[in-house]
Amino acid sequence: MTAVVVIGAQWGDEGKGKIVDLLTPEVDVVVRFQGGANAGHTLVVDGQRTVFHLLPSGVLHPHGTCVIGNGVVLDPEVALREIAACRTLGLDLAGRLFVSISAHVVLPQHQQIDLLREVAAGDSGIGTTKRGIGPAYEAKIGRRGLVCGDLVNPDRLQRRLHEILPELNRYIEIMLGGKPAAIEKTIEQYVAYGNALQPFVTDTVALLHEGVRAGKRILLEGAQGTALDVDHGTYPYVTSSTTVAAGAASGSGLGPTALTHVIGVAKAYCTRVGAGPFPTELTDDMGARLQERGHEFGSTTGRPRRCGWLDAVALRRAAQINGFTHLALTKVDVLESCETVRIGVGYRLRGQPLTTWPMALEDLAAVEPLYESLPGWKNSCRGVTSAADLPAALRHFLSRLEILIGVPVGILSYGPDRRDHVRLARMFD
């Protein structure tokens, strides 16, 4: 049995959805193991663009099992909307999609808390998507959460919401000055959601281990990126879950020894949404050019992404934390017209050189990036299907990156469509 983990190697938005979509025909099960509807995974198949926030990115293939694991916080409204969208595409998810009975549920009060906090913080806000993800994880850790097993049992759901909602509503009113949703209205709404989701909710841990015993291949899909991990990222400017490969075990119920391969996904440059330090950020014409050519606007919020050169120091750190076995490099086409491309190979902090990622937020915000310049590639990769046909300058860029990171590049993506890629190595057996 092979269990492959696909992880964002930067600040999210690296193109993980496309890589998962490409690998899905080679596996039997695709599992989303963390995050919530704050993630936007964009898939383009034959020119048709689809964005999923909760469903695994392998769902557009007509066969195979898709799982939303216990580590996810589920917004039932979003989940049902995406299930309906699949039906309009001719995809019947009955018997194919399974939602963990232990996945926690996002409530309207969680979303309201998220919004009111960001508004109150003003310019010093974290920059969340306001989808209620952080407050839902807070409730989970504080043992005041609602799980999908509650959601699909109407009697238990009403009892749990009568226990949970008064405290949330008091917090919204007294601490944040808001007007919370009425308890009975929320109960009515969530009973309907539970009835609609009931056919999909099950013990996904048992399901996955049945797959392990049957020798099935499993792909575990992460959301966001390593630099947004709640433990290893630029805290407090991070997401609220474990985005690194280790989280795939706890977020799915598979044991760590089942995880055999870890594929890190990175852009050929860097982007970041929201606040927080970004050492290689470009605030000049080049940064604007990357944003325009890369269409760098969030698929969940529409916010413009901050852009900068590839940061090999941060990428090497991500490779260490996750144990990458291969990289998938995306959006190399965005750099096609550059005379010169640059890679951040180190930092200078208060006059002293650094080759490692400083963990103190103030230090990371103060570093000066040290760059290595490489020739750009003028030729388009469009239609290229083998490494030998790639532009020589791009092959040199890849070789240099592999040396800097210590991880081979297995997939090269040069456009948004499913067909716009080159396989450079077989990444798992």
Side-chain angles (χ1 to χ4, degrees):
M1 195 281 300
T2 299
V4 182
V5 189
V6 175
I7 295 291
Q10 296 164 317
W11 276 280
D13 308 307
E14 302 95 346
K16 296 179 292 297
K18 176 180 178 176
I19 302 306
V20 171
D21 175 72
L22 289 177
L23 296 175
T24 293
E26 301 174 41
V27 301
D28 304 293
V29 184
V30 181
V31 185
R32 169 76 184 275
F33 68 83
Q34 50 80 215
N38 56 339
H41 293 180
T42 303
L43 307 176
V44 181
V45 181
D46 297 329
Q48 182 171 344
R49 182 177 182 269
T50 308
V51 180
F52 290 113
H53 298 87
L54 282 171
L55 296 189
S57 297
V59 75
L60 289 185
H61 291 272
H63 305 292
T65 299
C66 292
V67 173
I68 296 177
N70 56 274
V72 172
V73 288
L74 185 99
D75 184 326
E77 181 181 3
V78 174
L80 289 169
R81 187 165 64 238
E82 294 183 356
I83 291 168
C86 284
R87 290 195 189 104
T88 66
L89 295 172
L91 295 168
D92 184 6
L93 299 186
R96 283 192 59 210
L97 174 66
F98 300 93
V99 178
S100 171
I101 197 169
S102 301
H104 277 248
V105 177
V106 177
L107 296 169
Q109 285 79 0
H110 297 147
Q111 296 171 337
Q112 193 172 6
I113 290 168
D114 203 354
L115 171 63
L116 291 171
R117 284 174 175 170
E118 283 293 297
V119 170
D123 292 340
S124 60
I126 298 295
T128 78
T129 60
K130 305 178 183 67
R131 299 299 179 93
I133 307 305
Y137 275 115
E138 289 176 35
K140 175 179 179 176
I141 298 304
R143 300 178 297 279
R144 296 185 300 276
L146 184 81
V147 298
C148 284
D150 301 325
L151 183 68
V152 299
N153 183 314
D155 291 337
R156 192 160 72 237
L157 173 62
Q158 293 188 54
R159 185 171 66 252
R160 288 292 293 138
L161 287 179
H162 276 297
E163 295 168 354
I164 292 167
L165 294 182
E167 181 180 344
L168 288 174
N169 284 356
R170 285 195 298 273
Y171 180 78
I172 290 169
E173 289 181 301
I174 297 170
M175 299 300 296
L176 299 176
K179 184 178 180 181
I183 290 176
E184 294 305 322
K185 180 180 178 180
T186 301
I187 290 174
E188 179 183 356
Q189 182 181 42
Y190 274 65
V191 167
Y193 289 154
N195 289 335
L197 285 169
Q198 195 277 333
F200 301 99
V201 175
T202 191
D203 180 356
T204 56
V205 173
L207 183 148
L208 290 175
H209 282 273
E210 287 172 10
V212 170
R213 287 191 293 273
K216 292 186 175 181
R217 291 182 170 186
I218 299 173
L219 190 154
L220 299 119
E221 175 185 17
Q224 291 88 37
T226 300
L228 294 178
D229 181 81
V230 70
D231 290 304
H232 299 285
T234 53
Y235 189 89
Y237 299 99
V238 294
T239 194
S240 301
S241 58
T242 300
T243 65
V244 298
S250 62
S252 67
L254 290 175
T257 54
L259 312 181
T260 55
H261 300 73
V262 182
I263 300 169
V265 185
K267 287 176 181 170
Y269 52 100
C270 274
T271 62
R272 177 168 197 171
V273 173
F278 183 179
T280 62
E281 182 175 12
L282 296 169
T283 57
D284 56 7
D285 290 344
M286 188 64 213
R289 182 177 171 185
L290 291 174
Q291 186 183 85
E292 180 182 1
R293 283 184 55 83
H295 306 289
E296 295 297 353
F297 299 90
S299 54
T300 298
T301 64
R303 289 180 295 178
R305 298 178 184 135
R306 301 153 64 191
C307 298
W309 294 116
L310 186 67
D311 188 335
V313 179
L315 198 51
R316 187 162 57 243
R317 177 82 171 197
Q320 293 168 342
I321 291 169
N322 290 286
F324 291 151
T325 52
H326 285 87
L327 285 176
L329 197 68
T330 65
K331 289 199 165 184
V332 296
D333 54 307
V334 175
L335 300 181
E336 279 174 2
S337 62
C338 296
E339 290 284 346
T340 301
V341 294
R342 306 180 85 186
I343 301 175
V345 296
Y347 304 138
R348 184 178 289 113
L349 177 63
R350 303 182 189 95
Q352 299 299 313
L354 286 178
T355 56
T356 58
W357 175 271
M359 284 303 292
L361 192 72
E362 294 80 5
D363 289 344
L364 187 63
V367 298
E368 172 193 352
L370 303 175
Y371 290 111
E372 184 174 307
S373 297
L374 300 171
W377 48 94
K378 289 299 184 105
N379 299 334
S380 172
C381 297
R382 189 70 58 188
V384 171
T385 57
S386 70
D389 295 330
L390 292 171
L394 176 53
R395 295 201 305 272
H396 178 59
F397 176 85
L398 297 177
S399 176
R400 184 64 183 133
L401 181 61
E402 290 178 336
I403 291 170
L404 288 167
I405 309 305
V407 179
V409 178
I411 295 179
L412 191 71
S413 172
Y414 52 76
D417 201 274
R418 181 187 283 172
R419 61 178 174 264
D420 297 336
H421 74 283
V422 182
R423 295 292 290 267
L424 304 179
R426 185 164 183 83
M427 294 180 292
F428 54 90
D429 299 322

